[in-house]
Amino acid sequence: QFRYFNEYKSYLSMVIVLGVIRQKLWLNSKLLHLTAMSAAKIPKLSDEERGTDLKAVEDSGWKVQENRDAIYKEFLFRDFNEAFGFMTRVALKAEKMDHHPEWFNVYNRVNVTLSTHDCGGLSSRDINLAKFIDDTAKLFK
């Protein structure tokens, strides 16, 4: 009887492990499906949006990059502490938006580039984040 009990325990362990693996594979496939669906729902800016929304952020100092469909702006602060505080506020908002900037920081300078990788260019996410970034930078003036 004891011999059969150990075999049964091994069998149950194997079933549990296979169940966990199956569940993880299912969850990963669902996540990939949802990611693909969300990426498909992020359109590039239309010509009309480029004429209005993009123009508005360009008027506030953002520059459209020549080599790619992205916008860029440099921010200057009094010191590193202010620059880091600015980046922290932007990082928290970007995480909530699930839209992360490309940026570079040296002491009191922060260079920010925005582009939506999921659609291969500028989207409304970039415009919204650019506006938030501008508003946040004003808090440090």
Side-chain angles (χ1 to χ4, degrees), residues 106-122:
V106 175
Y107 186 61
N108 67 334
R109 185 183 52 163
V110 179
N111 302 335
V112 181
T113 302
L114 298 176
S115 184
T116 303
H117 303 286
D118 291 338
C119 73
L122 291 169

Side-chain angles (χ1 to χ4, degrees), residues 9 16 24 29 31 39 44 47 58 67-68 75 81 101 110 121 131 133:
K9 277 185 11 184
I16 290 169
K24 285 186 178 190
S29 70
L31 179 62
K44 280 187 175 183
D47 290 340
E58 284 182 290
N67 60 341
R68 63 189 274 215
F75 297 88
N81 189 42
V110 179
K131 290 177 182 177
I133 289 171

Side-chain angles (χ1 to χ4, degrees), residues 3-129:
R3 185 175 138 245
Y4 294 122
F5 180 73
N6 282 337
E7 289 176 3
Y8 183 69
K9 277 185 11 184
S10 295
Y11 172 75
L12 280 179
S13 295
M14 185 176 67
V15 167
I16 290 169
V17 167
L18 289 175
V20 168
I21 290 171
R22 187 174 142 255
Q23 183 180 18
K24 285 186 178 190
L25 288 173
W26 182 83
L27 289 172
N28 284 339
S29 70
K30 282 294 188 190
L31 179 62
L32 287 172
H33 177 71
L34 291 173
T35 301
M37 285 181 59
S38 67
K41 292 182 181 180
I42 302 172
K44 280 187 175 183
L45 290 178
S46 67
D47 290 340
E48 182 180 326
E49 290 168 322
R50 286 176 182 275
T52 56
D53 301 340
L54 182 56
K55 178 79 171 96
V57 295
E58 284 182 290
D59 290 344
S60 71
W62 290 88
K63 306 284 185 225
V64 176
Q65 290 190 322
E66 292 180 19
N67 60 341
R68 63 189 274 215
D69 196 19
I71 54 177
Y72 169 87
K73 189 171 181 179
E74 184 174 304
F75 297 88
L76 292 174
F77 300 93
R78 281 191 288 257
D79 55 26
F80 177 76
N81 189 42
E82 275 194 4
F84 194 82
F86 163 79
M87 291 178 71
T88 301
R89 288 179 185 214
V90 172
L92 292 171
K93 177 66 171 181
E95 188 65 22
K96 285 181 185 175
M97 292 176 66
D98 191 28
H99 188 58
H100 306 93
E102 299 171 24
W103 54 13
F104 180 77
N105 166 243
V106 175
Y107 186 61
N108 67 334
R109 185 183 52 163
V110 179
N111 302 335
V112 181
T113 302
L114 298 176
S115 184
T116 303
H117 303 286
D118 291 338
C119 73
L122 291 169
S123 75
S124 61
R125 285 182 171 191
D126 301 303
I127 301 303
N128 293 336
L129 188 54

